[in-house]
Amino acid sequence: MKYYIEDKEFGKIILTTNTRAKRFVMRVVGTEVHITIPLGVTQKLINLDYKIDTDVMKLELIEGNRDCFFVNRKEGQCQIVCPPHTDFSQKQEWLRKVIVEELRIQAKVILWNRMFQLAKRYGFKYKDLKIQTSKTRWGSCSATNSINLSVYLMTLPSHLIDYVILHELCHTVHHDHSDAFWALMDKVTEGKAKSLRQELKENYRTEL
C-alpha cells in the first residue's frame, strides 16, 4: 500500500509497504522521496496529511471553520472536514472507523457495479455479493458462489481491484487453485494473472 506525505523541507514523500522488504530503503526520484517500509512496521498516522489517492477512490482530511466534523461525499471522492486545531492524537481510532465506513459507502456503489460488469462481460454467475471489513483476505467465494469482498479493495488501483474480483468470479467455476483455475484466470486477464497476483502480494495489504 502507498501513502503520501507532504513535507515542508523534503516535498512529496511516498511510503510503500512491501512484504519482502527487510529494511527501510530510501531513494529520490525527481523531486519525490520514495521510502520502502517492511510490512507491519507501523500504521499510517491519520492527520491532515492523510490521503487515499487512486484512480478509483480519493479521500482526504481538510481543516474546516466549524467546531464539528462533517463529510463531503460524492462517488469516488470524500473529504472529511475537521474542526480547526484538532488534536489528532486523541482521534486515531475514531477516524479509522470513519474512514472505513466511508470506504464501505463507496464500495457499495463502485465494487457492486464493477462485479456486475465483469461477471456480465465474461459470463460468470454468482449468488450474491457482500462487502466486509476483512483484514486478512481481499475476497472469498463460498461453495454456493456467494462472494465477499474486503472494503480495503477501495485503496487499490483499478487493475488490481479487477484482478481480485475476477479471481473470485473464477472460483465460481473452479473452487480451488488448480491448473484449470489459473488457465481461466489467464484467459480473463490476458495472460497476466500471476504477475498481477505478485504485484498485489508484494505492494499492498488489507488494512489502513
Side-chain angles (χ1 to χ4, degrees), residues 89-103:
S89 66
Q90 302 299 313
K91 295 288 185 180
Q92 292 297 295
E93 187 59 31
W94 181 82
L95 281 169
R96 290 185 194 283
K97 290 179 181 178
V98 170
I99 290 170
V100 169
E101 184 57 28
E102 288 305 313
L103 294 178

Side-chain angles (χ1 to χ4, degrees), residues 151-166:
V151 68
Y152 297 109
L153 280 174
M154 296 300 297
T155 67
L156 300 184
S158 59
H159 69 286
L160 292 179
I161 293 177
D162 284 358
Y163 165 79
V164 173
I165 292 175
L166 287 169

Side-chain angles (χ1 to χ4, degrees), residues 42-207:
T42 184
Q43 280 192 314
K44 171 66 173 171
L45 177 66
I46 298 178
N47 54 32
L48 292 177
D49 293 323
Y50 182 90
K51 291 182 181 180
I52 296 173
D53 188 3
T54 74
D55 56 342
V56 172
M57 174 75 182
K58 298 185 186 302
L59 180 148
E60 62 179 346
L61 276 66
I62 63 172
E63 186 174 84
N65 54 16
R66 291 196 279 177
D67 293 328
C68 62
F69 287 85
F70 62 95
V71 175
N72 291 326
R73 179 192 307 122
K74 59 182 179 180
E75 186 173 336
Q77 297 185 28
C78 173
Q79 286 184 332
I80 300 173
V81 185
C82 309
H85 313 299
T86 298
D87 182 357
F88 288 97
S89 66
Q90 302 299 313
K91 295 288 185 180
Q92 292 297 295
E93 187 59 31
W94 181 82
L95 281 169
R96 290 185 194 283
K97 290 179 181 178
V98 170
I99 290 170
V100 169
E101 184 57 28
E102 288 305 313
L103 294 178
R104 188 198 306 274
I105 290 169
Q106 297 287 346
K108 285 183 177 180
V109 176
I110 294 171
L111 297 186
W112 273 75
N113 287 342
R114 195 59 181 153
M115 173 70 78
F116 176 80
Q117 291 167 0
L118 290 173
K120 184 177 180 180
R121 179 186 302 176
Y122 295 107
F124 291 110
K125 294 183 179 180
Y126 58 97
K127 183 178 179 181
D128 54 29
L129 170 62
K130 295 181 180 178
I131 306 297
Q132 299 185 335
T133 56
S134 172
K135 293 184 177 181
T136 59
R137 305 179 75 176
W138 293 111
S140 63
C141 178
S142 73
T144 59
N145 294 339
S146 293
I147 292 176
N148 296 316
L149 294 178
S150 171
V151 68
Y152 297 109
L153 280 174
M154 296 300 297
T155 67
L156 300 184
S158 59
H159 69 286
L160 292 179
I161 293 177
D162 284 358
Y163 165 79
V164 173
I165 292 175
L166 287 169
H167 187 107
E168 302 313 329
L169 286 172
C170 284
H171 276 315
T172 65
V173 179
H174 302 287
H175 290 277
D176 54 26
H177 289 109
S178 61
D179 290 344
F181 169 84
W182 286 111
L184 182 57
M185 277 294 294
D186 272 332
K187 181 178 179 181
V188 297
T189 61
E190 300 180 348
K192 298 177 182 178
K194 293 192 176 180
S195 64
L196 290 169
R197 177 176 180 266
Q198 194 70 12
E199 180 183 353
L200 181 65
K201 182 179 179 181
E202 290 183 1
N203 296 295
Y204 298 93
R205 60 178 179 172
T206 55
E207 60 182 298

